[in-house]
Amino acid sequence: MAIYLLKVNIALILLYGFYRLMTSKDTFFALRRATLWTIYLISLTIPLLNIEYWIKDSDTTVSMANSYATSILPTMMTYANAPSITWKDIILYVYIAVVTIMLLNFILQLGTIVYMACKHKKISINGTMLHILKSKDGPFSFFKWIFVNTEGLCDDELNEIIIHERTHVNQWHSFDSIMSELFCIFCWFNPFTWLMKRDVRINLEFLADESVLTEGNARKAYQYHLLGLAYHSSKTNIANNFNVLPLKKRIKMMNKRRTKEIVKTKYLLFAPLAAALLIVSNIDSVARSLSEKIPEIAKISNVTKGLLESGVTQSKASTVADLVNNAVDNQAQDAKIINIKGTVVNENGIPVPGALVVINGTKKGVVSDVKGNFSLNDVSDDKTISIQYVGFADMTFHAGDAINGMKITLKNDNSESNDEDKVYNAVDKMPSFPGGSKKMLEYFTKNIKNQENSTKSGHIIVAFTVNKDGSIYGAHIVHSINPELDNEALQAVNNMPNWEPGINKGKAVKTMFTIPVPVGKVSPVSFPEKKNCIYIIDGKELPEGEDIDGTLKPSDIKSITVMKSEDGKAKVYIKTFK
């Protein structure tokens, strides 16, 4: 309600200021009356009109709303732990008290006019019904009632009063008086409402004076008549009184030369001003909706107070931002360490083996097994987990949601990506290290340091993409052994020489690849030279001349059994996850 009232008053100030600047000297009294009514109506309705959908479609207005939300609105927000009665409460109580008093006075004046209409005798003069006053109050009208004291008035003077007041009655000027009065009641703190009320009332008198002169009454005689009634008091403020002051301005306007009709076009300038006010009002509304997404200062105040009491901020934080950062750090310390598990399936419910499950912001992750299952231990419950698999859209979930296990359904990636940039998971010929597996193992042996001093051993699983030119990018740890060794393994992988790229349909393509990097005291996974062995993969012998490295990835191997044949060659039986 306070925001609405504020917008109403701002609109009224700007529109009335423009009215005074543009129209105060012309003689278009009827047009001025319509303009004053328009100012009242626009001021009341602009805060209610919603064009936020248009504001949000424009980059310029959205930028203005964002700036307003971040720079102005925060200064208007209330801090927590404030006193039970604030200065804002006091202002509200004063506002309500003044409005109540003024409303009671308004109702009292209405009651007084109704009482007078019922009490005083009515007579008809020249076809006009008059209520005859016994006191020497000045003539006035209110809606269809005309009140006048006929004592001491000649026929011409009485006729002028009747024409004047009949104009007020016939043109329903009482509506203007009531509207201006109500604005002054509810916007009593705004001096422009009182100035506008004065202009409304005197413009009504301009209209009535013009009618008297149009009827053929003598200009000077009528003006002397007005001066003669100047000392008569007004019975009420809400009625249309005959002797509205300042009389000097009324007499001056009667003698003024009529303004040329072409000058009316200046009134069209109100339209762009009203449109600008409508836009600004809705920018404020959009900014307030945006600011709701920003944490309240009250909450920050409570957090900082708690931190100060608990001693967390003993590091002498100098700003609220420092305190907030400390609060975030402190909250992070309260995160629980949990074990999570889950199953990755496609939209048909079929398990997805080999899906990459990574803790966002870390190098820790695993690959789903042949049944799509995965598990991760020692995970902070406030972390987010990402699941990636070629051909499917990435999925993200909170670690805390998977503490009891969860089923993750990957959806097909329907984005229209260029085949040139597509990363393949399986191709006709897989990428291979230059020189084969033996050379790759020799490379890791030479380039991974700190293996002798390591207390842990095993295979660090590293996944990466082999570009079309054989270069490596996107290397990350899938299975970790030791943080220090993890970094060594990643550095070694990133520094590898260009591979032979993957081939699909006769073209080099980007290919996802996973390898086990041996660290510590562990026998590396290696294959005998092709000329000394026969490979049997899932019961099928590898054809003569076909490279084992281009057929299998190490991550595909479930088990290896080596047996010696009669001809001295080794038979290597390989079982895969397929």
Side-chain angles (χ1 to χ4, degrees):
M1 182 63 185
I3 299 299
Y4 173 77
L5 190 63
L6 178 63
K7 290 183 177 181
V8 167
N9 280 273
I10 291 174
L12 184 136
I13 290 171
L14 294 175
L15 291 169
Y16 173 68
F18 192 71
Y19 168 86
R20 289 286 299 171
L21 180 67
M22 300 296 295
T23 68
S24 59
K25 295 182 179 181
D26 64 43
T27 58
F28 304 125
F29 307 128
L31 189 56
R32 287 168 68 169
R33 181 193 181 196
T35 302
L36 290 166
W37 263 106
T38 302
I39 291 174
Y40 281 134
L41 295 177
I42 289 178
S43 299
L44 289 172
T45 56
I46 273 183
L48 302 176
L49 296 177
N50 188 341
I51 60 168
E52 291 184 18
Y53 63 91
W54 181 84
I55 297 294
K56 293 177 180 178
D57 282 342
S58 172
D59 293 338
T60 302
T61 50
V62 168
S63 176
M64 294 171 63
N66 285 328
S67 299
Y68 182 77
T70 55
S71 60
I72 298 177
L73 286 183
T75 63
M76 302 178 183
M77 302 184 76
T78 305
Y79 286 84
N81 302 325
S84 56
I85 298 179
T86 66
W87 61 270
K88 291 184 179 181
D89 296 325
I90 295 174
I91 291 176
L92 177 62
Y93 297 149
V94 171
Y95 171 78
I96 293 175
V98 174
V99 168
T100 302
I101 293 171
M102 295 181 71
L103 271 176
L104 291 175
N105 181 59
F106 176 75
I107 294 171
L108 180 62
Q109 291 187 70
L110 286 176
T112 300
I113 295 174
V114 173
Y115 173 77
M116 293 175 66
C118 297
K119 178 183 177 182
H120 292 91
K121 184 176 72 172
K122 295 185 290 185
I123 62 173
S124 178
I125 299 178
N126 298 331
T128 302
M129 189 64 65
L130 305 177
H131 293 264
I132 305 302
L133 296 174
K134 295 180 180 180
S135 61
K136 292 186 178 181
D137 296 319
F140 67 92
S141 62
F142 188 74
F143 286 102
K144 292 294 182 181
W145 299 330
I146 298 176
F147 300 86
V148 63
N149 185 339
T150 59
E151 293 181 7
L153 297 176
C154 65
D155 291 342
D156 289 341
E157 290 175 339
L158 181 60
N159 183 57
E160 290 170 354
I161 291 175
I162 291 174
I163 294 173
H164 183 101
E165 298 303 329
R166 193 166 57 202
T167 301
H168 287 313
V169 169
N170 293 339
Q171 296 182 9
W172 297 93
H173 289 176
S174 293
F175 280 118
D176 304 59
S177 301
I178 289 178
M179 175 62 83
S180 63
E181 194 70 28
L182 289 175
F183 255 84
C184 286
I185 291 174
F186 289 100
C187 303
W188 56 264
F189 53 87
N190 184 357
F192 287 87
T193 58
W194 298 91
L195 294 173
M196 188 168 173
K197 173 187 172 181
R198 183 195 63 182
D199 274 8
V200 168
R201 303 298 292 275
I202 200 167
N203 187 67
L204 296 178
E205 298 309 315
F206 291 160
L207 286 166
D209 292 340
E210 189 176 45
S211 295
V212 173
L213 299 179
T214 303
E215 290 284 336
N217 292 284
R219 188 184 306 273
K220 286 188 177 181
Y222 177 61
Q223 292 170 358
Y224 281 122
H225 183 202
L226 287 176
L227 292 172
L229 293 175
Y231 66 92
H232 286 251
S233 62
S234 301
K235 193 67 177 177
T236 64
N237 291 327
I238 62 174
N240 298 299
N241 294 285
F242 180 79
N243 55 336
V244 170
L245 300 176
L247 291 178
K248 181 179 179 181
K249 183 176 287 189
R250 291 174 60 183
I251 292 172
K252 184 177 179 181
M253 191 60 72
M254 280 185 253
N255 296 326
K256 186 178 179 66
R257 180 179 296 179
R258 302 297 94 174
T259 309
K260 294 180 180 180
E261 290 294 314
I262 188 65
V263 181
K264 287 184 178 179
T265 55
K266 66 184 178 181
Y267 284 84
L268 297 175
L269 296 176
F270 278 93
L273 178 59
L277 287 172
L278 178 61
I279 293 173
V280 171
S281 174
N282 279 268
I283 285 177
D284 175 79
S285 300
V286 172
R288 290 182 184 279
S289 66
L290 291 174
S291 68
E292 292 176 359
K293 301 176 183 179
I294 302 173
E296 295 178 357
I297 299 299
K299 294 182 180 179
I300 295 177
S301 179
N302 286 331
V303 171
T304 54
K305 179 182 177 183
L307 290 171
L308 289 169
E309 292 176 349
S310 63
V312 173
T313 58
Q314 292 177 356
S315 58
K316 299 182 179 180
S318 59
T319 66
V320 174
D322 293 334
L323 293 176
V324 174
N325 291 333
N326 288 337
V328 173
D329 293 340
N330 189 54
Q331 182 180 4
Q333 293 172 7
D334 296 333
K336 296 179 181 179
I337 303 301
I338 60 175
N339 299 330
I340 65 172
K341 59 183 179 180
T343 304
V344 183
V345 299
N346 61 21
E347 291 178 295
N348 296 323
I350 301 173
V352 177
L356 181 61
V357 185
V358 180
I359 303 173
N360 287 338
T362 73
K363 298 178 181 179
K364 186 176 181 180
V366 296
V367 174
S368 59
D369 63 19
V370 68
K371 295 183 180 180
N373 296 325
F374 69 88
S375 63
L376 279 168
N377 298 330
D378 301 329
V379 181
S380 176
D381 65 352
D382 63 348
K383 293 290 186 181
T384 56
I385 311 297
S386 291
I387 298 183
Q388 304 169 6
Y389 193 79
V390 177
F392 292 90
D394 294 351
M395 291 288 292
T396 303
F397 63 91
H398 290 285
D401 297 336
I403 189 170
N404 296 318
M406 70 181 299
K407 187 176 182 180
I408 299 97
T409 302
L410 297 182
K411 296 183 178 180
N412 291 325
D413 188 0
N414 295 321
S415 61
E416 297 181 2
S417 59
N418 193 326
D419 287 343
E420 293 293 324
D421 297 324
K422 182 177 180 180
V423 179
Y424 290 80
N425 188 58
V427 292
D428 298 338
K429 182 180 179 181
M430 296 298 293
S432 61
F433 187 87
S437 301
K438 185 176 180 180
K439 291 293 183 182
M440 182 172 66
L441 295 172
E442 291 175 358
Y443 170 82
F444 285 133
T445 302
K446 293 178 181 179
N447 288 278
I448 297 180
K449 304 175 182 178
N450 301 322
Q451 295 202 57
E452 295 80 3
N453 299 327
S454 176
T455 58
K456 294 185 178 181
S457 61
H459 291 88
I460 299 174
I461 307 300
V462 181
F464 54 88
T465 299
V466 180
N467 282 321
K468 289 183 288 186
D469 61 359
S471 60
I472 305 299
Y473 85 98
H476 57 275
I477 301 296
V478 175
H479 176 69
S480 173
I481 292 294
N482 176 280
E484 186 175 357
L485 292 176
D486 288 348
N487 290 331
E488 291 288 341
L490 276 178
Q491 186 176 355
V493 170
N494 285 323
N495 292 332
M496 285 190 298
N498 285 5
W499 284 41
E500 293 293 331
I503 303 297
N504 193 57
K505 296 181 180 179
K507 293 182 179 181
V509 294
K510 295 180 179 180
T511 311
M512 186 69 116
F513 207 82
T514 306
I515 58 173
V517 179
V519 294
K521 299 176 181 180
V522 62
S523 299
V525 176
S526 61
F527 301 115
E529 292 294 334
K530 178 69 177 69
K531 62 182 180 180
N532 295 322
C533 63
I534 299 172
Y535 293 100
I536 301 173
I537 304 171
D538 292 332
K540 295 181 180 180
E541 185 175 341
L542 185 68
E544 185 72 24
E546 188 169 333
D547 186 10
I548 183 66
D549 293 326
T551 303
L552 285 178
K553 294 187 298 183
S555 58
D556 293 334
I557 298 173
K558 185 175 183 180
S559 65
I560 299 176
T561 303
V562 182
M563 298 181 66
K564 188 175 181 180
S565 63
E566 295 179 356
D567 58 2
K569 291 186 178 181
K571 283 188 176 181
V572 182
Y573 294 88
I574 301 173
K575 288 185 178 181
T576 68
F577 288 110
K578 297 180 180 179

